[in-house]
Amino acid sequence: MRISIRHEFRFATSEALPHAVQHLLLTPIETASQSVVEWSIKMDGIDASASFTDAFGNTAHLVSQHRPEKDLFISVSGVVETSDTHGMIGRVAGGPNLALFKRFTAQTRPNGNLVNRMKAHAKAGMSRVELLHWLMNRLHEARETAPEDDEDAPEIVAEDHAHVFVAAARGMDIPARFVTGYVLGEDDEPARLHAWAEAWDDGLGWIGFDPSVDLCPTAGYVRIACGLDAETTAPVRLAPELERQAEDTIRVAQVMMNQQQQQQSGAQEQ
């Protein structure tokens, strides 16, 4: 599937601000489930930015402006070719040490009861992949069965599901990481910036799990960055902190290949 993406951010800055720095995690990398056809980031200072691979294997940009203008505008656009690998990313060459993704953070502290249930299933003979699928199913079921009439209950979002999944996996000494990206909307749902999790299996490598919808990522997902939690995978981090000027504008859509590309694809298959 070929997916086009356009994401726009706008932040308010002060005229008295002498300097501003932005750390961007907005560039997808090549994986078993996606290849980048074209990608660009437009904003003041991006041409002189430092581009590097961070500790988690993400492509990062460090951008700075001297006396920035009133508004900071960031526009991301590109096209990514995706395929359905049933969530399997596999092994990524040059990736960080797996032990890095066993670290607990303030947002990924495991639930003892959940971990104990997983230990019981593992002791009964459940394989790691089966265990991870059970965890995804269980978290989704918990959301579906939550009482709707409890006004004081906090809203459960995809980010919460990903944190609980990652925490429980790490509680079982399984490397797991928090992932951000874009996902196509279904029916009348808008496209969105999304969060899910990935966990490690010694035989299959990295596998994606999305407890918020109870499935492994499909061809409708575009993976952007991974890390220990939402804080380490934030698309934009700013110093100093700046107020969001407006809601993000996100457009994610499937695009059809032109006739020449379709013919080339057919010839390769033959």
Side-chain angles (χ1 to χ4, degrees):
M1 182 184 296
R2 183 163 286 205
I3 298 175
S4 69
I5 296 166
R6 185 173 182 83
H7 187 179
E8 298 175 350
F9 307 75
R10 190 179 294 276
F11 301 89
T13 61
S14 167
E15 294 181 359
L17 185 66
H19 195 78
V21 178
Q22 299 85 41
H23 179 271
L24 309 182
L25 292 178
L26 287 168
T27 305
I29 64 171
E30 304 276 334
T31 71
S33 63
Q34 68 183 33
S35 60
V36 182
V37 178
E38 58 185 67
W39 198 263
S40 67
I41 302 174
K42 295 182 180 179
M43 63 178 294
D44 288 342
I46 190 67
D47 293 337
S49 68
S51 178
F52 58 96
T53 300
D54 70 9
F56 305 107
N58 306 308
T59 298
H61 290 83
L62 197 62
V63 186
S64 64
Q65 295 101 19
H66 179 65
R67 297 191 178 281
E69 297 181 0
K70 186 175 182 181
D71 291 339
L72 172 62
F73 179 70
I74 304 173
S75 174
V76 180
S77 61
V79 176
V80 179
E81 189 84 42
T82 65
S83 58
D84 191 349
T85 60
H86 306 287
M88 287 187 286
I89 302 298
R91 292 169 170 78
V92 180
N97 191 299
L98 292 176
L100 176 64
F101 296 106
K102 292 184 180 182
R103 289 176 51 190
F104 297 113
T105 69
Q107 294 175 296
T108 57
R109 291 173 178 162
N111 179 294
N113 291 331
L114 187 57
V115 172
N116 286 337
R117 292 184 65 182
M118 293 175 70
K119 288 179 178 178
H121 285 308
K123 189 175 181 179
M126 190 178 283
S127 70
R128 177 175 291 192
V129 173
E130 291 172 332
L131 192 64
L132 294 169
H133 275 281
W134 175 88
L135 175 59
M136 177 174 69
N137 300 154
R138 181 69 192 92
L139 295 180
H140 183 72
E141 288 173 1
R143 175 184 182 179
E144 293 298 305
T145 57
E148 297 181 358
D149 56 352
D150 187 354
E151 297 180 356
D152 296 327
E155 181 183 3
I156 301 175
V157 297
E159 181 177 302
D160 301 323
H161 275 113
H163 278 143
V164 176
F165 185 100
V166 166
R170 291 177 187 164
M172 290 291 294
D173 201 36
I174 299 172
R177 54 196 189 186
F178 186 97
V179 182
T180 57
Y182 301 98
V183 64
L184 283 170
E186 295 183 0
D187 300 325
D188 295 330
E189 292 182 0
R192 62 194 186 278
L193 190 63
H194 195 47
W196 61 96
E198 290 174 355
W200 177 264
D201 177 73
D202 291 335
L204 299 174
W206 289 107
I207 308 171
F209 296 91
D210 187 352
S212 68
V213 291
D214 198 20
L215 57 75
C216 293
T218 66
Y221 286 63
V222 175
R223 186 182 181 281
I224 297 293
C226 70
L228 299 179
D229 50 28
E231 184 176 351
T232 56
T233 56
V236 181
R237 280 183 282 174
L238 307 106
E241 292 281 347
L242 299 177
E243 181 182 352
R244 216 58 158 229
Q245 186 74 350
E247 291 291 327
D248 292 5
T249 300
I250 301 177
R251 302 183 187 91
V252 181
Q254 181 179 0
V255 294
M256 301 303 295
M257 294 185 295
N258 62 39
Q259 186 175 2
Q260 181 180 359
Q261 290 172 320
Q262 290 175 339
Q263 292 173 345
Q264 290 175 346
S265 177
Q268 291 174 351
E269 292 177 358
Q270 294 176 0

